[in-house]
Amino acid sequence: MTPPPEPTMYADISQLVAQNQLSSLHLQGTDAWSRVWSTLRTKSDSGPQIKLIEITTNVVTPELFAYLSSYSGIEKLSLLHPDGGSREKSDRLANTFFETVLPLHATSLVELSCPAGYESRFSFGTHNVHVISLLHKLESLEMSINAGAVREVDKPDVWIDEDGTEIPIFSIGVSVEAEQAEIDPVVTLLLETAATLPFLRSLAINSAETESNRGAWCGNGRIHHTGAVDAAIEKAMQAFRCDVPCSTIVRAGNHTYELQPLSGDGSAKECHSDADPEMLGYQQR
C-alpha cells in the first residue's frame, strides 16, 4: 500500500525557515516536522547553511541531531522532554546526543535543558558526566534523574492538618517510594559537577517518568512515580555536604536551594565573608 503523500505545509514551512536568516528557532510539533531540520542542514542556492545559535524544540529526532552535528556554535539549546517512543530508541538518541552532538558545541553553550520524557540515557549519570563537565561556559542547566528501583508503599488513609483535624485521603493509582540509595550518588555527582562549572548560576533537577507509565492513565495501573522521585531528590539535596563554595541556585522538586554554611546541628547559619572555610549544605531559600 502506497503511503499518503506528505502534506505540502511541511515543505512550505521548511523552505520559509531556510530562506530567512534566522538565529533562533522554537519548533513544536510531531516528528513529521523533522523535515525542517533536514532543510536547515542543506545549503541553499541563495546562501550558506543556516547555523542557529538558539533552539527550543520537542521535535527531537535523528534529523535534528544530524543538523546539530553539521556545525558548532549553538549557545542555547532546549530539548523539551526528548523521547524516542521507547526506552531503546530513546537511549539510542541520547547516545548520539552526548557522544556526537554535544561535544561540538561544548565551547559555546551557555544554556542547556534536556530533561528526559521517560527514563533513559538523556538523564544525568555516570554515562554522560564527562560531557557535561566540558561545558565550561554553561550558565543554566536542566536535567532529569532516573530512579532505578521503586517499591510500592501503603497509601495513607488520612491527612492531619495543623489543627489536628483528620482529613480522609482518596487517591487513585499506585503509591511508591524511590530507593534513596540509588538517588543519592547521582544527585551528589550532579551537584559536584555543577560546582566545577565556573559560570553556572541555575541548575534544575527533574525526575524522569517511568517507562511503565507510558500509556497508563489514572486508575489504569499508573504509579505515582515522579512525585516519589522528586521526594528522594530533595532528601539527597538536604543530605549533601561539601567544603567548596558554589553560587549555583538549584531547583529540585517544589523547592529552590542555595549552598550555605552549616552550624553543628546541620542547620544554616549566618555567613561572614571573612569566615574560615567550613562545611556547606543546600538549604531551602
Side-chain angles (χ1 to χ4, degrees):
M1 182 177 178
T2 303
E6 184 181 75
T8 58
M9 68 174 181
Y10 295 132
D12 293 341
I13 293 179
S14 296
Q15 288 299 324
L16 179 64
V17 169
Q19 289 169 7
N20 289 272
Q21 294 301 309
L22 301 177
S23 61
S24 65
L25 179 62
H26 187 138
L27 178 66
Q28 287 189 258
T30 66
D31 286 357
W33 287 103
S34 289
R35 175 74 174 269
V36 172
W37 308 129
S38 300
T39 302
L40 287 174
R41 187 185 177 198
T42 305
K43 292 184 178 181
S44 65
D45 295 335
S46 59
Q49 172 194 4
I50 295 176
K51 299 179 180 180
L52 297 172
I53 62 173
E54 180 176 354
I55 294 176
T56 298
T57 187
N58 71 332
V59 187
V60 182
T61 61
E63 289 80 5
L64 169 62
F65 291 160
Y67 167 64
L68 288 173
S69 298
S70 68
Y71 73 102
S72 59
I74 197 166
E75 297 176 5
K76 298 180 180 180
L77 179 60
S78 180
L79 306 182
L80 304 176
H81 304 292
D83 175 40
S86 69
R87 178 64 184 263
E88 181 181 1
K89 292 179 180 178
S90 294
D91 283 348
R92 285 203 300 268
L93 277 173
N95 288 340
T96 299
F97 179 62
F98 288 108
E99 295 172 8
T100 304
V101 176
L102 210 52
L104 294 173
H105 305 275
T107 60
S108 58
L109 265 175
V110 294
E111 294 183 13
L112 173 63
S113 174
C114 56
Y118 290 87
E119 290 186 332
S120 71
R121 290 174 69 85
F122 274 109
S123 291
F124 178 82
T126 55
H127 61 284
N128 55 26
V129 61
H130 62 291
V131 182
I132 299 300
S133 299
L134 297 175
L135 309 179
H136 295 298
K137 288 187 177 180
L138 211 59
E139 298 175 6
S140 176
L141 174 64
E142 181 176 16
M143 296 191 74
S144 56
I145 285 180
N146 297 335
V150 295
R151 58 178 178 272
E152 187 172 348
V153 296
D154 293 333
K155 303 175 184 177
D157 297 323
V158 296
W159 175 69
I160 302 176
D161 66 13
E162 296 178 352
D163 299 326
T165 304
E166 293 187 353
I167 301 174
I169 295 177
F170 302 96
S171 60
I172 299 175
V174 181
S175 295
V176 296
E177 184 176 75
E179 291 289 351
Q180 195 66 44
E182 296 194 12
I183 299 293
D184 287 347
V186 183
V187 172
T188 297
L189 181 61
L190 180 50
L191 295 176
E192 291 175 343
T193 302
T196 68
L197 302 176
F199 299 106
L200 192 67
R201 297 295 176 264
S202 174
L203 170 64
I205 309 176
N206 299 345
S207 55
E209 184 60 274
T210 177
E211 187 69 30
S212 64
N213 271 348
R214 188 185 292 274
W217 299 88
C218 289
N220 184 31
R222 185 177 182 86
I223 66 174
H224 301 156
H225 183 84
T226 55
V229 180
D230 282 340
I233 291 173
E234 293 203 50
K235 286 182 180 178
M237 287 284 306
Q238 294 163 2
F240 179 80
R241 298 290 183 269
C242 71
D243 57 5
V244 179
C246 177
S247 60
T248 302
I249 302 300
V250 182
R251 176 170 56 82
N254 297 316
H255 299 101
T256 302
Y257 297 84
E258 63 181 341
L259 204 59
Q260 297 180 0
L262 300 175
S263 60
D265 61 1
S267 60
K269 66 178 182 180
E270 185 178 355
C271 179
H272 300 284
S273 59
D274 58 350
D276 293 331
E278 54 193 328
M279 193 58 64
L280 305 170
Y282 278 99
Q283 302 291 321
Q284 289 185 27
R285 299 185 73 187

